[in-house]
């Protein structure tokens, strides 16, 4: 589900723990930051000569493919454009797992988390850093009143361990202000 759906299920005690994108408005939840992931511009394979870093004006020239409305990733991407005074117009809104394939087919460009980009390497895409940088904060949420039984703590610790994973593809390093240099991912 979306971060809002997962947070609501945890708050309602229908699930014990969740991994969500921040922010989470539920005051009945304990929120533990796992990591901050860079979001990247994802371009079709034909765009190998695109600048190494894309600003909102440059990225807005492409047909934009967004995650479906109501997701945190969708809102982060739209807010990134709006902060630059650009009202982005989506050519398509689809589930984030389909975006990479649509971009790979040359139908547009998108902004995705690094996890979404690396989920399926079968569809070649070009990755570019964003300026200003955009990050997604990933956190574990639990009810404040939930007891720390052994099984729950095991899952909690496993989710926190995700913070230790290096998800950056070869060729992209996070610098003090931006990611450098650009990389092609999933290309033959």
């Amino acid at each position: 589900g979306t971060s809002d759906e997962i947070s609501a299920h945890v708050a309602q005690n229908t699930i014990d723990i969740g991994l969500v994108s921040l922010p989470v408005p539920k005051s009945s939840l304990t929120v533990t930051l796992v990591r901050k992931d860079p979001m990247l511009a994802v371009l079709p394979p034909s765009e190998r000569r695109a600048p190494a870093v894309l600003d909102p004006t440059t990225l807005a020239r492409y047909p934009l493919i967004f995650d479906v409305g109501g997701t945190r990733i969708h809102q982060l991407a739209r807010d990134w454009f709006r902060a630059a005074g650009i009202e982005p117009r989506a050519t398509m809104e689809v589930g984030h797992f389909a975006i990479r394939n649509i971009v790979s087919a040359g139908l547009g460009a998108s902004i995705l988390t690094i996890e979404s980009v690396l989920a399926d390497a079968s569809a070649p895409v070009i990755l570019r850093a964003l300026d200003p940088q955009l990050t997604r904060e990933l956190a574990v949420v639990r009810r404040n009143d939930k007891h720390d039984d052994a099984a729950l703590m095991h899952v909690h610790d496993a989710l926190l361990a995700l913070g230790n994973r290096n998800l950056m593809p070869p060729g992209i390093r996070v610098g003090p202000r931006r990611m450098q240099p650009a990389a092609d991912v999933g290309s033959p």
Side-chain angles (χ1 to χ4, degrees), residues 5-27:
E5 291 168 346
I6 292 169
S7 297
H9 283 293
V10 172
Q12 295 163 3
N13 207 23
T14 56
I15 60 174
D16 293 321
I17 194 166
L19 187 63
V20 299
S21 295
L22 295 181
V24 175
K26 306 290 185 200
S27 61

Side-chain angles (χ1 to χ4, degrees), residues 95-118:
H96 71 273
F97 291 111
I99 292 174
R100 181 187 174 124
N101 290 330
I102 292 168
V103 171
S104 181
L107 299 177
S110 190
I111 296 175
L112 290 173
T113 64
I114 190 66
E115 285 179 316
S116 295
V117 172
L118 296 178

Side-chain angles (χ1 to χ4, degrees), residues 91-159:
T91 301
M92 282 187 244
E93 291 185 7
V94 297
H96 71 273
F97 291 111
I99 292 174
R100 181 187 174 124
N101 290 330
I102 292 168
V103 171
S104 181
L107 299 177
S110 190
I111 296 175
L112 290 173
T113 64
I114 190 66
E115 285 179 316
S116 295
V117 172
L118 296 178
D120 177 15
S122 66
V125 295
I126 304 298
L127 302 180
R128 296 295 188 250
L130 298 172
D131 187 23
Q133 275 189 331
L134 179 60
T135 58
R136 182 268 316 255
E137 295 179 316
L138 194 63
V140 172
V141 292
R142 296 177 42 201
R143 283 177 58 100
N144 294 332
D145 61 355
K146 196 61 115 167
H147 297 288
D148 292 342
D149 67 30
L152 182 60
M153 291 312 299
H154 182 71
V155 173
H156 184 265
D157 292 345
L159 291 173

Side-chain angles (χ1 to χ4, degrees), residues 46-93:
S46 61
E47 297 299 312
R48 291 187 195 284
R49 294 189 179 143
V53 178
L54 297 178
D55 60 35
T57 302
T58 304
L59 189 56
R61 292 181 188 141
Y62 291 91
L64 296 173
I65 317 291
F66 281 131
D67 204 349
V68 293
T71 66
R72 191 76 63 227
I73 302 307
H74 177 99
Q75 195 60 48
L76 285 170
R78 285 192 174 276
D79 288 348
W80 183 77
F81 283 104
R82 289 175 179 149
I86 297 169
E87 184 58 41
R89 293 187 208 168
T91 301
M92 282 187 244
E93 291 185 7

